């Protein structure tokens, strides 16, 4: 069973600390410039421009606005002790919203439970299980047929299900061999979504009109169709997720639509597989499921799962606002440049999210959760991760930008990345095909984690991990581009 991309009319609940309740877009914003220029009064055949309204976006709940600015990205000085070589690059980024904290277990559970409830509603409507047509809407208010989608206003009968409904619900559960109790089957929690590759679609070489692919009039108009690659995914008869990359001549806009199916449950066994000969079994059983860890950063989530979460979060917002079919800036993983600029609070002079060159102040109070000494994880007050927001935020109001957990970025890794990326909103994107060599499936992670020493939690340090890996020390946070309303050249530093 897969989850389709057009399931909801109304969705209950909100993403606490992630999305919140964002009512309607409101408050028209008038833009001004340093020059104070303003065109007034001309009419009667004069050039006055086209009028209109601009709607100011409310602050996304749990996010901080990072105003546009520039920074020397990467280490600017050699550090022979830490084995760090100067390799900086001046970059500028536009304004964006960023989560105050890393995504927590509680927030990620909302995604998991949404997927769970979607599958159950699908099965309650499926004739092979519940067979109740009321769980799907197939007509509009005028009685015209529409593409079927789930009715989220109809509750799941958790306590008073009939025999067919109980079979539909229980099909998503399995029996725990140790306790004999029913528990959610993580293998079935698959989320299907589609993305449109705007970058590939906009590239001149991929234009459908041959005359617009080559502007040099000394050259002939290209006659061969561009060859594109797109991802698609489906569930086979054995219930396995199959991902394929199709390479074919361009036929239309649909060729830039990519389909993914991702199992969303975190790998709770990462706590054992990341550490040989260590007793971490309690974390495998409790870290994600126990409410005592609700405010801790989610871990065991791959880059692919984090990307799927951001897509779901965007759709969840649009459906909650009743704005399906309307483009809004999506939630996404930050680019590497956005992440470093935000972590260092726009300050090229210090490699950490704080101004000191050391990871603690003069009183011996730590700025972050990391490994202070070899084998000593407790000196900063924690053994593994800490609850998000435990340590002070940086000057942009962002918590845990060093230590606690490393964080996925959207940026692909290659050894020559500094030579490839632009200086304006730099990003290196590579959507690896299934058949690509594994080394081409590396994504950049930043910030270091609870298990790292001080040099490895520097904000100017680049690290990487394979996009399908799930680690007990890697999490993520989301960003959203702010459109058209940034008023300064860098968020004011907090005093």
């Amino acid at each position: 069973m897969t989850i389709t991309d057009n399931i909801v009319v109304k969705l209950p609940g909100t993403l606490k600390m992630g999305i919140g309740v964002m009512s309607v877009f409101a408050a028209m914003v008038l833009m001004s410039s340093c020059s104070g220029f303003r065109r007034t009064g001309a009419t009667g055949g004069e050039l006055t421009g086209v009028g209109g309204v601009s709607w100011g976006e409310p602050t996304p709940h749990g996010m901080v606005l990072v105003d546009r600015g520039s920074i020397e990205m990467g280490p600017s000085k050699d550090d022979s002790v830490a084995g760090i070589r100067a390799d900086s690059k001046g970059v500028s980024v536009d304004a964006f919203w960023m989560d105050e904290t890393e995504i927590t277990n509680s927030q990620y559970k909302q995604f998991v439970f949404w997927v769970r409830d979607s599958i159950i509603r699908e099965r309650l409507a499926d004739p092979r299980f519940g067979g109740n047509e009321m769980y799907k809407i197939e007509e509009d208010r005028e009685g015209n047929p529409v593409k079927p989608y789930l009715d989220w206003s109809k509750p799941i009968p958790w306590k008073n299900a009939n025999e067919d409904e109980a079979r539909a619900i229980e099909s998503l559960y399995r029996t725990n061999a140790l306790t004999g109790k029913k528990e959610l089957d993580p293998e079935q929690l698959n989320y299907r979504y589609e993305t449109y590759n705007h970058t590939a679609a906009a590239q001149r070489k991929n234009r459908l009109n041959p005359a617009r692919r080559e502007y040099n009039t000394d050259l002939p108009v290209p006659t061969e169709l561009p060859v594109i690659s797109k991802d698609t995914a489906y569930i086979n008869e054995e219930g396995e997720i199959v991902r394929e990359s199709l390479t074919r001549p361009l036929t239309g806009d649909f060729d830039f639509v990519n389909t993914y199916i991702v199992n969303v449950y975190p790998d709770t066994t990462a706590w054992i597989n990341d550490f040989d000969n260590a007793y971490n079994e309690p974390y495998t059983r409790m870290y994600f499921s126990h409410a005592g860890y609700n405010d801790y950063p989610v871990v065991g989530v791959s880059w692919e799962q984090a990307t799927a979460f951001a897509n779901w979060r965007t759709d969840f917002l649009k459906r909650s606002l009743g704005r399906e079919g309307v483009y809004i800036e999506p939630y996404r993983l930050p680019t590497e440049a956005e992440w470093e600029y935000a972590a260092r609070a726009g300050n090229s002079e210090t490699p950490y999210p704080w101004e000191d060159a050391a990871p603690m102040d003069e009183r011996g109070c730590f700025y972050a959760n990391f490994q202070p000494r070899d084998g000593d994880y407790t000196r900063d007050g924690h053994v593994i991760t800490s609850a998000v927001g435990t340590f002070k935020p940086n000057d942009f109001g962002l918590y845990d930008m060093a230590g606690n957990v490393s964080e996925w970025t959207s940026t692909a890794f290659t050894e020559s990345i500094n030579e490839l990326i632009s200086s304006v909103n730099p990003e290196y994107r590579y959507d690896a095909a299934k058949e690509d060599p594994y080394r081409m499936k590396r994504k950049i992670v930043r910030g270091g984690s609870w298990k790292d020493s001080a040099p490895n939690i520097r904000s100017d340090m680049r690290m990487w991990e394979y996009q399908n890996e799930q680690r007990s020390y890697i999490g993520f946070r989301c960003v959203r581009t702010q459109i058209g309303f940034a008023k300064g050249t860098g968020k004011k530093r907090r005093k």
Side-chain angles (χ1 to χ4, degrees):
M1 178 62 65
T2 63
I3 307 304
T4 58
D5 193 44
N6 57 348
I7 290 177
V8 180
V9 173
K10 295 180 180 179
L11 290 177
T14 61
L15 181 62
K16 302 172 183 176
M17 290 189 69
I19 293 177
V21 179
M22 297 177 63
S23 53
V24 294
F25 290 81
M28 187 171 74
V29 178
L30 297 176
M31 298 299 293
S32 61
S33 66
C34 294
S35 66
F37 174 78
R38 185 177 180 186
R39 192 184 301 278
T40 60
T43 58
E46 297 290 345
L47 184 65
T48 61
V50 176
V53 293
S54 298
W55 298 97
E57 176 185 2
T59 301
H61 183 66
M63 287 188 136
V64 169
L65 176 61
V66 178
D67 209 350
R68 61 177 177 248
S70 64
I71 195 171
E72 287 292 319
M73 186 173 76
S76 57
K77 299 177 182 178
D78 289 333
D79 187 337
S80 57
V81 175
I84 297 171
R85 181 176 61 86
D87 187 23
S88 62
K89 179 184 180 72
V91 301
S92 296
V93 295
D94 216 332
F96 57 94
W97 302 98
M98 187 177 224
D99 283 325
E100 285 182 296
T101 70
E102 296 140 342
I103 295 298
T104 64
N105 284 321
S106 175
Q107 292 169 323
Y108 196 83
K109 282 178 190 176
Q110 186 174 352
F111 177 37
V112 171
F113 291 166
W114 187 93
V115 172
R116 176 202 66 185
D117 293 354
S118 298
I119 296 174
I120 289 176
R121 283 185 168 85
E122 286 280 0
R123 294 183 182 179
L124 286 169
D126 191 332
R128 295 172 298 175
F129 292 94
N132 189 341
E133 297 178 354
M134 298 299 294
Y135 282 95
K136 275 201 172 176
I137 296 175
E138 300 181 350
E139 297 180 347
D140 61 20
R141 293 181 179 179
E142 286 72 38
N144 301 311
V146 296
K147 186 176 180 179
Y149 59 95
L150 293 180
D151 183 359
W152 280 78
S153 67
K154 188 170 179 59
I156 295 173
W158 296 105
K159 295 183 179 180
N160 57 348
N162 60 37
E163 184 177 344
D164 289 336
E165 292 170 337
R167 185 170 66 254
I169 294 172
E170 291 175 5
S171 67
L172 201 60
Y173 289 77
R174 66 186 184 187
T175 301
N176 186 300
L178 181 63
T179 65
K181 294 182 179 180
K182 296 280 187 180
E183 64 181 16
L184 196 61
D185 182 4
E187 296 297 322
Q188 298 189 57
L189 296 177
N190 300 321
Y191 172 68
R192 179 185 184 275
Y193 70 100
E194 294 179 342
T195 62
Y196 185 80
N197 190 337
H198 290 271
T199 299
Q203 289 177 333
R204 185 177 294 178
K205 66 180 182 179
N206 290 333
R207 289 173 177 169
L208 286 171
N209 184 350
R212 299 193 66 225
R213 290 184 216 139
E214 178 57 68
Y215 283 2
N216 188 339
T217 56
D218 292 337
L219 299 176
V221 174
T223 57
E224 294 185 359
L225 288 172
V227 176
I228 58 89
S229 178
K230 65 173 291 181
D231 294 329
T232 187
Y234 60 92
I235 302 292
N236 64 18
E237 294 181 356
E238 288 73 36
E240 301 169 328
I241 299 175
V242 178
R243 177 183 171 184
E244 295 181 346
S245 295
L246 306 178
T247 301
R248 65 191 188 196
L250 178 66
T251 60
D253 283 343
F254 183 73
D255 288 325
F256 301 110
V257 176
N258 297 275
T259 303
Y260 301 98
I261 300 175
V262 178
N263 184 274
V264 304
Y265 205 84
D267 182 7
T268 58
T269 68
W271 292 101
I272 290 178
N273 290 305
D274 286 344
F275 302 96
D276 292 331
N277 302 313
Y279 183 66
N280 288 336
E281 288 183 18
Y283 303 141
T284 69
R285 294 191 296 267
M286 308 295 281
Y287 185 83
F288 183 66
S289 61
H290 195 283
Y293 287 105
N294 269 356
D295 292 330
Y296 285 63
V298 67
V299 296
V301 173
S302 69
W303 180 91
E304 295 167 350
Q305 290 173 312
T307 301
F309 174 93
N311 179 87
W312 163 80
R313 187 173 175 180
T314 304
D315 283 349
F316 186 80
L317 172 61
K318 287 196 290 187
R319 290 162 177 165
S320 297
L321 294 175
R323 298 181 68 88
E324 291 183 80
V326 177
Y327 180 82
I328 65 172
E329 274 301 308
Y331 290 96
R332 56 183 174 82
L333 295 179
T335 66
E336 179 192 28
E338 288 173 330
W339 193 96
E340 182 172 332
Y341 175 73
R344 297 172 73 180
N347 187 353
S348 299
E349 302 303 317
T350 175
Y352 291 106
W354 48 85
E355 293 187 358
D356 292 347
M360 65 182 74
D361 63 21
E362 64 279 358
R363 299 171 299 167
C365 296
F366 286 90
Y367 292 126
N369 176 15
F370 66 106
Q371 182 190 173
R373 286 193 296 224
D374 186 27
D376 184 358
Y377 295 86
T378 63
R379 195 174 171 208
D380 58 17
H382 308 276
V383 175
I384 55 167
T385 56
S386 56
V388 298
T390 297
F391 297 86
K392 291 181 180 180
N394 71 357
D395 284 344
F396 278 4
L398 298 165
Y399 295 86
D400 300 314
M401 295 301 284
N404 213 16
V405 293
S406 299
E407 300 179 17
W408 290 111
T409 72
S410 60
T411 306
F413 175 80
T414 178
E415 285 77 3
S416 57
I417 186 170
N418 275 14
E419 287 71 47
L420 297 175
I421 57 175
S422 168
S423 294
V424 179
N425 295 318
E427 171 69 326
Y428 176 64
R429 172 175 174 171
Y430 185 77
D431 297 325
K434 179 182 178 181
E435 58 273 14
D436 278 340
Y438 199 37
R439 63 181 176 81
M440 299 179 72
K441 301 175 182 179
R442 295 176 291 179
K443 305 298 182 186
I444 291 174
V445 295
R446 287 300 204 111
S449 74
W450 59 269
K451 74 170 187 62
D452 292 310
S453 58
N456 289 328
I457 65 169
R458 287 174 49 150
S459 304
D460 60 353
M461 290 295 294
R462 176 183 290 141
M463 295 165 280
W464 59 265
E465 184 54 270
Y466 295 103
Q467 65 185 44
N468 63 341
E469 272 288 2
Q470 298 158 294
R471 299 293 191 182
S472 60
Y473 46 84
I474 299 181
F476 69 102
R477 71 181 80 207
C478 296
V479 298
R480 243 179 105 189
T481 300
Q482 191 203 35
I483 297 298
F485 298 103
K487 297 179 180 178
T489 55
K491 185 175 175 68
K492 299 295 185 296
R493 296 179 64 80
R494 289 147 53 106
K495 302 297 183 183

